[in-house]
Amino acid sequence: MGKNNSYEGKGPTQRQLRVGETIRRALSEVLARGDVHDPELNRLSITVGEVRSSSDLKIATAYVLPLGGEGQDEVLKLLSRNKHEIRKQVAKKLTLKFSPELRFQLDQTFDQMDETRRMLNQDAVRRDADAPDKATEG
């Protein structure tokens, strides 16, 4: 049996997307309200950018980022340390038959957007982008 990764081959199903978004909302609420009994975790403001569910919906990977991007390693350790309690709190808010195992990764989306902006602002790239497309000239 291969890895149970929802993004291998074809994209996620509508059900995976729906479950992922439901978990994202519940997880965001749990973290924002400080429902977990860990003062170190509760003092942080954590954004949950996306949650991806495996094809069997047993594993949910949450892509998170601390406010301002500071303390990323600490956030992952704190979330990992509290993942069982977080899972229990999230499960209370879900209407699923079972609560998926939660995994946490840093959300790289903002870094990628910043890097793309930086690249697009380079003189050589702007010059190439502004040049007429030779393939469409007649």
Side-chain angles (χ1 to χ4, degrees):
M1 283 174 66
K3 281 186 183 177
N4 195 3
N5 185 341
S6 65
Y7 280 48
E8 284 180 11
K10 60 183 179 161
T13 64
Q14 284 298 314
R15 185 167 183 230
Q16 284 173 277
L17 293 171
R18 198 170 47 249
V19 168
E21 179 58 18
T22 302
I23 294 170
R24 187 195 70 76
R25 287 182 187 160
L27 178 58
S28 292
E29 188 178 321
V30 165
L31 294 174
R33 290 179 35 172
D35 291 342
V36 179
H37 298 95
D38 185 335
E40 288 183 67
L41 182 62
N42 290 335
R43 72 178 166 75
L44 299 172
S45 183
I46 301 169
T47 300
V48 183
E50 180 183 7
V51 173
R52 293 183 189 169
S53 293
S54 60
S55 56
D56 62 4
L57 307 178
K58 291 187 179 182
I59 298 170
T61 303
Y63 293 87
V64 299
L65 193 66
L67 189 65
E70 297 296 317
Q72 296 179 3
D73 292 336
E74 180 187 14
V75 163
L76 288 180
K77 286 179 194 165
L78 289 170
L79 289 169
S80 199
R81 180 170 85 193
N82 291 287
K83 73 179 181 179
H84 298 294
E85 187 179 355
I86 294 169
R87 180 182 185 180
K88 195 164 80 175
Q89 294 293 333
V90 167
K92 288 179 185 178
K93 300 179 182 309
L94 299 177
T95 56
L96 300 174
K97 286 183 182 176
F98 61 90
S99 177
E101 175 190 334
L102 293 175
R103 296 183 181 171
F104 300 97
Q105 289 189 15
L106 289 176
D107 189 342
Q108 303 295 329
T109 308
F110 296 105
D111 291 343
Q112 290 168 354
M113 286 190 310
D114 286 346
E115 178 62 13
T116 301
R117 256 188 234 108
R118 186 192 66 71
M119 287 173 53
L120 290 174
N121 283 323
Q122 290 176 352
D123 289 339
V125 174
R126 270 210 308 260
R127 190 173 47 247
D128 288 348
D130 291 341
D133 188 357
K134 298 209 184 315
T136 60
E137 287 182 356

